[in-house]
Amino acid sequence: MPCVLPQVRVGVSACLLGQRVRFDGGHKRDDFLTGSLADFLELVPVCPEMGIGMGVPRPPIRLVGAPERPRALGVDDATLDVTEQLLSFARQCVSFRGDISGYILKQDSPSCGMKGVKVHDPEGKTADRRGIGIFARVLMEARPLLPVVEETWLKDPVLRAGFLTGVLAYHSLRACPAYDCSTADTNA
């Protein structure tokens, strides 16, 4: 009897799929993701801000504090602090989404950016580009073997091929009864 693998599922920042989930009601639809990639992968939309109930439109947030562990605060109202909610959502998402074989995240997002996200000082005068989005950090720390990229990386054919190869390998390992990615991949 031939082995039949389940559909390959990849988590994607929902705004990249054309969903109007950004703070201003907009999106960042990526034609490659919604076209070519969607033809052979099941793309699972994820928006941490919507996941914590912020809604659309909503006050914009940014990272503030130390780049290693910043807070997610309101741009116009620094008393708006959604850090703990984003952390909680990310932990739940990572633990309940064991069927995901990769993630494509939105560059520069205070929740989803993988690297180079602006982290502002508490006065908002200067920004450091060494931040990682709250959701992205939890995801990458909890699942270090999981292939994760920002959407802009997929424009480079070599990086795209590396990501897709990693996704298919991760998916195949997950389907192998002798290997348990959920325990081998989690630091928690």
Side-chain angles (χ1 to χ4, degrees), residues 66 126 143:
T126 61
R143 301 233 181 253

Side-chain angles (χ1 to χ4, degrees), residues 62-127:
R62 65 181 175 186
L63 298 180
V64 177
E68 306 78 37
R69 294 286 180 212
R71 307 289 301 170
L73 306 179
V75 171
D76 301 321
D77 176 8
T79 64
L80 172 65
D81 186 341
V82 294
T83 309
E84 296 308 317
Q85 295 96 315
L86 287 172
L87 287 168
S88 177
F89 174 81
R91 289 181 192 116
Q92 288 175 347
C93 194
V94 167
S95 67
F96 291 121
R97 292 283 187 176
D99 60 340
I100 298 293
S101 296
Y103 263 91
I104 302 168
L105 300 172
K106 177 68 190 112
Q107 180 182 37
D108 293 331
S109 164
S111 58
C112 293
M114 284 179 60
K115 62 181 237 175
V117 179
K118 286 183 184 178
V119 180
H120 299 265
D121 68 18
E123 291 79 40
K125 295 178 182 167
T126 61

Side-chain angles (χ1 to χ4, degrees), residues 20-26 50 53-60:
R20 296 186 176 280
V21 296
R22 291 180 54 84
F23 73 95
D24 59 1
M50 294 293 288
M54 288 188 78
V56 174
R58 63 178 170 266

Side-chain angles (χ1 to χ4, degrees), residues 148-162:
V148 181
V149 295
E150 291 181 338
E151 84 283 4
T152 57
W153 299 12
L154 298 176
K155 294 180 185 345
D156 180 301
V158 173
L159 295 176
R160 180 174 55 238

Side-chain angles (χ1 to χ4, degrees), residues 5-17:
L5 293 177
Q7 176 78 27
V8 179
R9 302 182 83 212
V10 173
V12 181
S13 293
C15 61
L16 297 173
L17 298 177

Side-chain angles (χ1 to χ4, degrees), residues 110-188:
S111 58
C112 293
M114 284 179 60
K115 62 181 237 175
V117 179
K118 286 183 184 178
V119 180
H120 299 265
D121 68 18
E123 291 79 40
K125 295 178 182 167
T126 61
D128 185 320
R129 276 266 187 198
R130 292 182 294 147
I132 298 172
I134 304 289
F135 178 84
R137 183 183 300 275
V138 171
L139 174 67
M140 293 185 304
E141 287 177 355
R143 301 233 181 253
L145 301 178
L146 185 73
V148 181
V149 295
E150 291 181 338
E151 84 283 4
T152 57
W153 299 12
L154 298 176
K155 294 180 185 345
D156 180 301
V158 173
L159 295 176
R160 180 174 55 238
F163 173 71
L164 294 175
T165 299
V167 165
L168 295 175
Y170 192 92
H171 179 75
S172 295
L173 282 174
R174 274 191 339 92
C176 177
Y179 186 80
D180 184 0
C181 286
S182 65
T183 58
D185 201 27
T186 303
N187 290 336

